[in-house]
Amino acid sequence: MRQLHEKLKASEFIGIIIDETVSITVENKLIAYDKIENKGKIDNFLGNYNLHSGTAQCIYEKVVEVLRGRGVELSKVMGLGSDGASVMTGKRAGVGALLKRVNPFLIQVHCVAHRAALAAVDT
């Protein structure tokens, strides 16, 4: 974990992939990965965190807590991948919008796996 923290701190830019879910005991959870390029390997599991609610503000605060706890400046976060739900992608108050207030260059993407699942349901 220490090596991961050092790689994160040393990276010029990072991307994060997050997804909010509910555990079997109906607790809100946030799963987070970072995306940094290091010798061809790019995925790193950041953790599975408890949330006190599933609101965009709560998720944003947890992302901030996790990244700052690892010494990562929010201005380095250039990409956000998520499930495409409005809590993540809402234009005014979604997690991406809240992160864009810190870094207006952030790019949001709808996770390809979630898009495929939605397409499968539609077919």
Side-chain angles (χ1 to χ4, degrees), residues 49-69:
Y49 306 96
N50 290 324
L51 297 170
H52 64 269
S53 78
T55 66
Q57 186 65 41
C58 180
I59 295 168
Y60 168 78
E61 289 170 3
K62 182 56 74 174
V63 168
V64 169
E65 176 188 321
V66 168
L67 292 176
R68 286 193 177 148

Side-chain angles (χ1 to χ4, degrees), residues 18 20 53-60 80 82-90 93-98 108:
I18 58 176
E20 187 264 340
S53 78
T55 66
Q57 186 65 41
C58 180
I59 295 168
Y60 168 78
L80 171 65
S82 72
D83 60 3
S86 61
V87 72
M88 297 290 184
T89 61
V95 175
L98 296 172
Q108 294 184 77

Side-chain angles (χ1 to χ4, degrees), residues 29-99:
K29 306 288 269 180
L30 178 71
I31 299 170
Y33 289 83
D34 70 66
K35 300 284 281 178
I36 56 175
E37 192 282 323
N38 183 32
K39 298 178 184 174
K41 186 177 177 187
I42 56 174
D43 287 328
N44 287 302
F45 180 65
L46 288 177
N48 187 3
Y49 306 96
N50 290 324
L51 297 170
H52 64 269
S53 78
T55 66
Q57 186 65 41
C58 180
I59 295 168
Y60 168 78
E61 289 170 3
K62 182 56 74 174
V63 168
V64 169
E65 176 188 321
V66 168
L67 292 176
R68 286 193 177 148
R70 286 166 171 72
V72 177
E73 296 294 323
L74 292 180
S75 60
K76 289 184 174 185
V77 179
M78 299 300 287
L80 171 65
S82 72
D83 60 3
S86 61
V87 72
M88 297 290 184
T89 61
K91 290 183 181 181
R92 291 186 187 90
V95 175
L98 296 172
L99 286 168

